[in-house]
Amino acid sequence: MDSQTSQPSQASPSPHTFQVDLRGLVDLLSHHLYSSPKVYLRELLQNAVDAITARRAEQPDAPATVRLRAEGGTLRVEDSGIGLTESDVHDLLATIGRSSKRGDALEAARSDFLGQFGIGLLACFVVAERIRVVSRSARTPDAAPIEWTAADDGSYTVRTLPHAARTEPGTTVYLTARAGAGEWLSPERVGALARDFGALLPYDVRVGDEPVAELPAPWDRSYPSPAARRVALARHCHELFGFTPLDSIDLDVPLAGVRGVAYVLPSAVSPARRAGHRVHLKGMLLTERAEQLLPDWAFFVRCVLDTDSLRPTASRESLYEDETLAAVREALGERVRSWLTGLAAGDPERLAAFLAVHHLGVKSLARHDTEMLRTMLPWLPFETTDGRLSLEEFAQRHPVVHFTRTVEEYRQVAPIASAQGVGVVNGGYTYDSELVEALPSVRPGTVVSELDADTVTAHLDLVDPAEELALSAFLTAARDRLDPLGCDVVLRSFHPLSVPALHLDDRAARHEQARAEAEELADDLWAGILGSLRDSAPRARLVLNHLNPLIRRIGALGDPDLVGTATESLYGQALLMARRPLRPADSALLNRAFIGLLEWATHTDPQEDGHR
């Protein structure tokens, strides 16, 4: 016997159909897929608009009306769309996820539809315990109306109605509120949601007798003058976002099917704050919290637009990140960039008002965009030793543009550098040091140099050698006292005279100081490792002003201990003036110097007491 026939035959397994727990699916929709029960109305509007779109694909002159009526915990939504036959009802409404747009000759018009009919109706169970659909097909004029009734337990019935039940093609959906959800079907709530979701829909949509759509969109309307348009758009912005914008920017990208407007915020916001934009998909509001619509640097605008090219996510409450969205983001960013360059070329007053609030956003863009830096260079404000200036104006005044990388470094040297005629830009704020370093790329011939302690000291006047030699004992005592702190003492003459001492260091000196402190606290192994990392970088220095009367008086003291205490006091005061964070050793020094000066000021000679 053949070995194959000796094996028992294996029958093919019988196919099974997944059973759907509708209650569980409704809970999934309401708590995980959709952000709020209010989306039920958007789904109803989407179904109605899609049905009209489908009918007009076959009958271009067909009516395009949607009527919503809410009363007593019920809602009726009637449309003049394509309608359904009995087979459509079984095929579309009884099968979760099947789209009403996949069959027959409508595949070519697929891009004109907003959603899926079955899923859209299922979402209504978030607020309804019972859904009834009465529909008559426009494709089969003699077809009788069909009624589909479903409950939230997953059961449904289908029956054929008399012809008189519905004489015209289209669909009517009836909702009966579930317990605790009646407020969502109230006339006021339905009206507000319909106006919010459907303000840009291209069809005649009404709640009762009140129209929902407000077409054309505010950015597409005709106005008697540019000023009137700005006023109208400002009013529209206030209604949508609650603020009056500094300006509005048209967002017209025909190739991407995008039309809309960006409103410039009237107050500064953090670049880290994610902007929420309103996006309509083919007229239907998709989301009011789209975050990835514009480049990150454009955080100073809020957008509202309509598109027919972007893909929504499964919940249709946000945008799908794909190549199309990336291209639209780049195109919209280019519109904002063009607006900025237009202001720079023709409206400097409005540009100045904008930069007074949002210079940080423009700096963020300019550091990556050479053309934008070149355009904005005369306008972007920077903190300098000459006041608040643009880099262009500052570079015209100084042959070398010095800058610091931190605010603390700038505060150390700004008063002294200014008095010596050294121009310094504070690069410690966000993006500023990067922009200063990029200056030669857009202004050839400009010399940019990071300011360090050596540069500052080199601009201070040397003291006459004979005078410095006479003060050698004083300088030796001062250096001995500050040497344990990793700080040298030098004597120079500089302005202003009111500054007795200046503390100078740089990042290399601070690094060496931190290494030395860590070495003191480390065990033998780590102390050896840290010792091997000892740097030859210059240490911090305390520059004493020989022109200051106090320094001259201290230099004349003959008591080394008193000179040391005075030096410690000058060191602490210089640190405080530079607004540098104090280390524990610095705090201890300040306390010791203060007590020492008090003891010296209150000291009395015992022999003097005996003569009294």
Side-chain angles (χ1 to χ4, degrees):
M1 182 179 292
D2 188 86
S3 60
Q4 291 183 346
T5 59
S6 64
Q7 300 290 334
S9 62
Q10 296 183 353
S12 300
S14 301
H16 298 280
T17 302
F18 281 107
Q19 300 299 309
V20 176
D21 179 0
L22 189 56
R23 291 184 188 274
L25 191 55
V26 168
D27 179 74
L28 177 67
L29 290 172
S30 60
H31 293 98
H32 301 283
L33 184 61
Y34 296 124
S35 62
S36 167
K38 69 180 182 180
V39 298
Y40 88 91
L41 192 67
R42 182 195 66 195
E43 299 294 340
L44 289 175
L45 286 176
Q46 283 185 350
N47 288 339
V49 169
D50 284 346
I52 293 172
T53 302
R55 184 176 180 184
R56 285 202 156 184
E58 299 181 357
Q59 304 171 18
D61 297 330
T65 61
V66 181
R67 298 292 182 264
L68 298 90
R69 297 188 183 278
E71 183 179 4
T74 63
L75 173 64
R76 184 173 85 245
V77 181
E78 183 174 2
D79 68 67
S80 59
I82 193 70
L84 302 171
T85 63
E86 183 173 358
S87 61
D88 291 333
V89 168
H90 285 289
D91 189 34
L92 302 176
L93 298 183
T95 306
I96 301 302
R98 181 75 59 82
S99 171
S100 61
K101 279 72 73 173
R102 290 181 180 170
D104 303 336
L106 295 183
E107 180 64 29
R110 184 72 177 90
S111 63
D112 294 329
F113 297 106
L114 298 172
Q116 289 187 315
F117 191 80
I119 289 292
L121 271 184
L122 185 63
C124 293
F125 279 119
V126 173
V127 298
E129 67 175 6
R130 183 170 176 270
I131 302 175
R132 177 172 171 254
V133 178
V134 176
S135 186
R136 182 166 186 167
S137 175
R139 294 185 185 139
T140 311
D142 296 334
I146 300 298
E147 178 191 69
W148 177 86
T149 304
D152 59 3
D153 62 0
S155 62
Y156 73 94
T157 60
V158 179
R159 65 187 181 113
T160 302
L161 302 179
H163 281 73
R166 185 179 180 96
T167 59
E168 296 295 327
T171 301
T172 303
V173 178
Y174 302 85
L175 301 185
T176 302
R178 64 191 306 134
E183 191 270 338
W184 289 104
L185 270 61
S186 66
E188 296 77 16
R189 178 58 69 92
V190 169
L193 292 178
R195 287 187 293 272
D196 196 36
F197 285 120
L200 301 183
L201 288 175
Y203 302 137
D204 180 13
V205 182
R206 296 174 183 263
V207 177
D209 297 325
E210 295 294 324
V212 167
E214 300 177 358
L215 296 178
W219 51 85
D220 285 330
R221 297 172 191 169
S222 298
Y223 297 95
S225 67
R229 187 176 191 271
R230 281 198 297 270
V231 171
L233 289 179
R235 186 184 306 112
H236 177 246
C237 175
H238 195 274
E239 292 172 355
L240 283 185
F241 298 114
F243 65 85
T244 300
L246 284 177
D247 206 349
S248 56
I249 308 169
D250 285 323
L251 302 178
D252 184 8
V253 188
L255 293 179
V258 172
R259 285 283 296 158
V261 62
Y263 293 116
V264 182
L265 291 166
S267 57
V269 295
S270 168
R273 178 181 175 184
R274 304 300 296 178
H277 307 293
R278 289 176 65 93
V279 178
H280 295 254
L281 180 61
K282 304 180 183 72
M284 182 74 70
L285 178 65
L286 181 71
T287 178
E288 53 191 356
R289 296 188 302 274
E291 295 181 348
Q292 67 273 48
L293 189 64
L294 288 180
D296 290 340
W297 57 260
F299 58 84
F300 49 82
V301 298
R302 296 291 180 271
C303 297
V304 54
L305 55 83
D306 189 23
T307 176
D308 58 14
S309 63
L310 299 178
R311 288 177 56 194
T313 58
S315 65
R316 296 196 289 283
E317 294 187 279
S318 59
L319 298 172
Y320 187 81
E321 185 67 48
D322 58 9
E323 293 181 357
T324 302
L325 179 57
V328 168
R329 183 188 300 119
E330 182 177 351
L332 295 182
E334 181 59 35
R335 292 297 183 272
V336 178
R337 183 186 289 107
S338 298
W339 170 78
L340 283 171
T341 56
L343 288 186
D347 201 339
E349 290 185 2
R350 288 170 66 197
L351 178 62
F354 166 75
L355 289 178
V357 179
H358 296 299
H359 59 274
L360 193 60
V362 180
K363 287 181 177 180
S364 174
L365 170 61
R367 67 195 178 110
H368 296 303
D369 190 322
T370 303
E371 188 60 36
M372 180 57 63
L373 178 60
R374 182 179 292 108
T375 302
M376 292 289 107
L377 193 60
W379 307 101
L380 290 173
F382 289 80
E383 182 180 358
T384 77
T385 48
D386 291 354
R388 198 162 180 80
L389 300 175
S390 70
L391 288 181
E392 174 67 28
E393 186 175 357
F394 187 82
Q396 291 174 359
R397 297 184 181 186
H398 299 278
V400 178
V401 178
H402 294 286
F403 73 97
T404 64
R405 292 192 182 275
T406 68
V407 175
E408 290 78 12
E409 291 174 352
Y410 177 80
R411 287 170 177 165
Q412 276 185 291
V413 302
I416 309 304
S418 178
Q420 310 307 311
V422 179
V424 184
V425 179
N426 185 355
Y429 296 114
T430 306
Y431 310 133
D432 282 8
S433 61
E434 297 175 68
L435 293 176
V436 175
E437 290 181 298
L439 187 56
S441 67
V442 296
R443 198 178 188 275
T446 302
V447 179
V448 173
S449 175
E450 182 177 354
L451 191 68
D452 55 23
D454 288 334
T455 302
V456 177
T457 306
H459 281 81
L460 304 181
D461 294 333
L462 295 173
V463 178
D464 182 84
E467 294 186 37
E468 186 167 2
L469 181 62
L471 295 171
S472 59
F474 157 69
L475 293 175
T476 299
R479 288 165 181 156
D480 289 343
R481 186 59 65 95
L482 294 187
D483 184 68
L485 296 173
C487 182
D488 292 332
V489 177
V490 297
L491 187 66
R492 294 289 187 273
S493 296
F494 57 87
H495 293 272
L497 301 181
S498 58
V499 177
L502 175 66
H503 180 271
L504 293 177
D505 65 0
D506 52 26
R507 282 174 295 166
R510 290 194 294 274
H511 173 76
E512 172 60 18
Q513 194 174 59
R515 186 209 60 78
E517 290 179 357
E519 183 179 0
E520 291 181 2
L521 299 175
D523 56 29
D524 292 341
L525 174 61
W526 279 109
I529 294 174
L530 291 171
S532 68
L533 298 176
R534 183 176 294 109
D535 199 349
S536 60
R539 303 198 301 173
R541 66 197 67 175
L542 182 69
V543 185
L544 302 179
N545 187 358
H546 185 55
L547 300 180
N548 182 267
L550 176 62
I551 297 299
R552 288 179 176 271
R553 289 195 296 271
I554 295 175
L557 295 173
D559 185 347
D561 289 336
L562 183 55
V563 168
T565 299
T567 302
E568 289 179 338
S569 300
L570 290 170
Y571 173 82
Q573 188 263 354
L575 284 180
L576 294 175
M577 290 298 294
R579 302 182 188 180
R580 295 297 305 276
L582 299 180
R583 300 169 297 162
D586 297 330
S587 299
L589 176 144
L590 276 173
N591 183 64
R592 182 172 65 250
F594 177 72
I595 297 299
L597 289 177
L598 284 178
E599 290 179 347
W600 177 80
T602 58
H603 176 74
T604 57
D605 192 326
Q607 293 182 356
E608 292 182 4
D609 292 338
H611 292 297
R612 292 179 183 177

